[in-house]
Each structure stands twice: as C-alpha cells, then as structure tokens.
Amino acid sequence: MESAGGGGGLGSMRAVLAILQWWGFNVTVIIINKWIFQKLDFKFPLTVSCVHFICSSIGAYVAIHVLKAKPLIQVEPEDRWKRIFPMSFVFCMNIVLGNVSLRYIPVSFMQTIKSFTPATTVILQWLVWSKHFEWRIWASLVPIVGGILLTSMTELSFNIFGFCAAMIGCLATSTKTILAESLLHGYKFDSINTVYYMAPFATMILALPAMLLEGGGVIDWFYTHDSVFSSLIIILGSGVLAFCLNFSIFYVIHSTTAVTFNVAGNLKVAVAVLVSWLIFRNPISPMNAIGCAITLVGCTFYGYVRHLISQQKAAAPLGSQGTNSPRSRVEMLPLVGDKEDKV
C-alpha cells in the first residue's frame, strides 16, 4: 500500500511530481468546467458529464488494451450487473451532482462543501449501517462541520440549488465508498480499472436523461453561440482532462504515503479555491475564507486521527482484536481507505 519509498531523494522527487501533476489536472478540470458553464454559456451539466464519461471510457480502454499501463481486472459477467452497475449509478450521480453544483455556485464554495464528505461517510455508517466509532473520530469531525456551517452562512454567492446539489453529491460520494466495501468485495480495483468498468455504464445511465432534459437547449446553443468550434474543443478537452485526472490519481496513490496523500488532498482544495478566485473573482468575505480554512484544517486533522488509529490497530496483539468485549464492538475506523481511489 505504501509504495512511495523508492530511494530517498528520488522517491521524494517522484512524490512531489506526482502531487503536482495531480493538482494540475484536478484544478484544471474544475476551472474548465466552471468556464464552460459561466463563460461559454453552455449551461448543460448532464451533457458535460456525459462527454466526460465517454472520454473516460475511451481513455480507460486505450490505457489498458493499447498502452498496457495496467492489467485488466477480470470481472464475471453476472457481477458486472449485480455489483458494477449499482456502483456505476452512484458514481454517475456523484459526477453529475458535482457539475450541477458548479453550474450554480462558485468553485470555492463547491470545493469547501465537498470537504464535508468525511463527515457524511461517518454519519451514514452510523445511521444506516449502525456502526459505531471511537470518540476521537467524532471529535475530529467538529471543525469540519463548524467550518462548513460558517462558510455556508457567510457565502456571498449562495444558491440553494447549487448548495443542495453539492451536499447530495457528498452523500453520493460517501455511499459509493461504503457500497464499494460490500459490492466490490474480492476485487482489487485501481482507478483505471474502476473507470474502465463504470464509465460505460454511467454513459448508458445518463445519455437518455441528458438528451431529454438538455437536448433542445444544446441544439439552440449550437445555433446561437459564437465560436462554436473552439467551444466544442474546450468541452471535449475537459473530457480528456477528466480521464487524465483519474490516471494521475493512480500515479499519486502509488507514489506517496497515506499521510502525504491526505495533506496534499486538502492543500489541493486550497489551490483550487485560490486559482478559481484569481480567474472568476467571485466575492469572498473574510469570514467565508476563515470558514473554508477551518474546514480544510479539520479535514487534515481527521486524516491524522484516522492514521493514528490505524497504526494503533495494526500494532495491537491479534488476540485482543478478536475479543467480544464492548470496546471491540466499536469500529476503529470508518470505511474510508487511508488512500481513497477517487474517481
């Protein structure tokens, strides 16, 4: 799991380069998507998501079958419908809701809300799956929840529809993570194989709603928008970059440690917020910026607490982990890997 070691300075340089290219692809995809909705006036998040899924399907096929970048993980035909399809539906909802929220709220606000995912994951497992966690996990969620509340109450460009889409997107992300534990049990999926199997299903799920709900608007846009060709290049480019982002996640996961990945992920949000503000100049109040900072610090603290608990659990004697004491019935960790293979 920790494959970042490789040769001192060389390993460190590899990790830095992996993080920088991950940041670059992630921030670029977010900014281009916002640019498509705001500057190109292409206000069709379902269609944009569908383009992303198509490009990701093609990209994953090329990466596995042509470039041989990763061996194909074989999945039984029956499992594709019983396991992969339900996961693909949640995966589709996650991406679509992220793009819908970008359509209505600033990047800074959307990224801050997405940082609420650790809290929704823990709460869902507690409410729906009746799992219990150590008090340290609950305590680490306090700054995340507090930061989100402060950011939401002080957001100058608040839009209730975009806010709800982002929050439901957090729930979709958490549901995907939790379902993966049961539905994908026995399969060791990396980010490339995940896209290979899920993106075609997601395209099937989304194609008809996109045509019915946005088809007429897209046709009107073709006839009324200036510079259609250059705009289409940008839209298709966002799809290609969306796949490259998944490839970069695979690279960074195998080049960094769990702690580095957690810290880099939260710094990535800060970079996205700063770059989006420099480009779009959406108004941010001082209290709003403080709320965003509290949320990011809370996410980092949450990751640190999880890392400590996982180390303690690994160091505990095997016999003590199998007892039926009340403490052993308390789940040490939520179902969120030290390194989430985010898609």
Side-chain angles (χ1 to χ4, degrees):
M1 184 168 176
E2 306 286 348
S3 54
L10 184 62
S12 299
M13 179 62 68
R14 181 187 176 195
V16 170
L17 291 176
I19 290 170
L20 289 177
Q21 55 88 31
W22 177 42
W23 283 4
F25 281 121
N26 190 279
V27 173
T28 303
V29 168
I30 293 170
I31 297 301
I32 287 182
N33 284 354
K34 185 64 176 178
W35 187 275
I36 289 170
F37 297 135
Q38 186 168 318
K39 301 296 185 180
L40 301 185
D41 202 34
F42 192 83
K43 303 182 185 300
F44 309 108
L46 300 186
T47 304
V48 171
S49 301
C50 212
V51 169
H52 287 190
F53 293 143
I54 293 171
C55 291
S56 293
S57 300
I58 296 172
Y61 182 89
V62 171
I64 291 176
H65 293 289
V66 179
L67 301 179
K68 308 294 183 181
K70 194 71 179 172
L72 176 65
I73 296 174
Q74 298 295 335
V75 178
E76 295 294 330
E78 184 180 2
D79 283 345
R80 296 190 185 192
W81 289 101
K82 285 187 175 181
R83 298 189 182 193
I84 305 296
F85 184 79
M87 284 292 298
S88 300
F89 180 80
V90 181
F91 165 68
C92 177
M93 292 296 296
N94 179 30
I95 300 299
V96 168
L97 288 166
N99 282 330
V100 169
S101 65
L102 266 182
R103 159 79 171 80
Y104 291 99
I105 59 178
V107 172
S108 56
F109 190 31
M110 177 267 212
Q111 285 286 289
T112 305
I113 296 173
K114 290 293 284 182
S115 299
F116 193 57
T117 301
T120 57
T121 304
V122 173
I123 293 170
L124 267 181
Q125 290 177 82
W126 175 58
L127 287 177
V128 181
W129 282 269
S130 301
K131 297 205 172 188
H132 301 279
F133 305 104
E134 279 201 2
W135 68 269
R136 287 179 290 177
I137 289 292
W138 291 106
S140 68
L141 297 179
V142 172
I144 299 178
V145 176
I148 292 292
L149 287 174
L150 180 59
T151 304
S152 301
M153 290 188 296
T154 58
E155 174 58 46
L156 299 177
S157 304
F158 186 87
N159 178 283
I160 187 63
F161 189 73
F163 172 79
C164 290
M167 288 298 295
I168 298 172
C170 288
L171 291 172
T173 304
S174 299
T175 303
K176 178 171 72 73
T177 302
I178 296 168
L179 286 179
E181 186 74 12
S182 56
L183 291 179
L184 301 185
H185 180 71
Y187 291 105
K188 286 286 186 180
F189 279 117
D190 54 78
S191 58
I192 306 302
N193 275 276
T194 301
V195 173
Y196 179 86
Y197 283 107
M198 292 190 186
F201 275 134
T203 304
M204 290 170 48
I205 292 168
L206 191 59
L208 184 59
M211 286 189 290
L212 292 177
L213 297 175
E214 297 180 347
V218 171
I219 293 173
D220 290 340
W221 179 87
F222 266 100
Y223 284 107
T224 59
H225 186 74
D226 298 328
S227 306
V228 171
F229 181 75
S230 60
S231 298
L232 286 177
I233 295 296
I234 294 174
I235 295 170
L236 289 174
S238 73
V240 175
L241 288 171
F243 168 73
C244 292
L245 171 59
N246 286 287
F247 205 89
S248 72
I249 292 171
F250 163 74
Y251 180 40
V252 77
I253 282 174
H254 291 275
S255 302
T256 62
T257 64
V259 175
T260 303
F261 186 77
N262 172 55
V263 174
N266 293 309
L267 287 176
K268 171 181 61 66
V269 175
V271 172
V273 169
L274 177 60
V275 172
S276 71
W277 179 79
L278 291 173
I279 293 175
F280 298 105
R281 295 291 178 176
N282 55 288
I284 300 178
S285 68
M287 291 302 294
N288 189 257
I290 291 172
C292 180
I294 291 174
T295 303
L296 296 183
V297 170
C299 288
T300 305
F301 179 59
Y302 167 81
Y304 176 69
V305 169
R306 289 191 64 258
H307 180 68
L308 285 181
I309 295 176
S310 65
Q311 284 187 323
Q312 292 173 6
K313 185 178 181 181
L318 290 177
S320 66
Q321 294 182 25
T323 62
N324 291 322
S325 63
R327 179 172 175 77
S328 70
R329 290 196 293 268
V330 176
E331 297 288 333
M332 294 288 283
L333 290 169
L335 291 178
V336 184
D338 282 339
K339 291 181 171 187
E340 291 182 25
D341 223 356
K342 294 183 180 176
V343 180

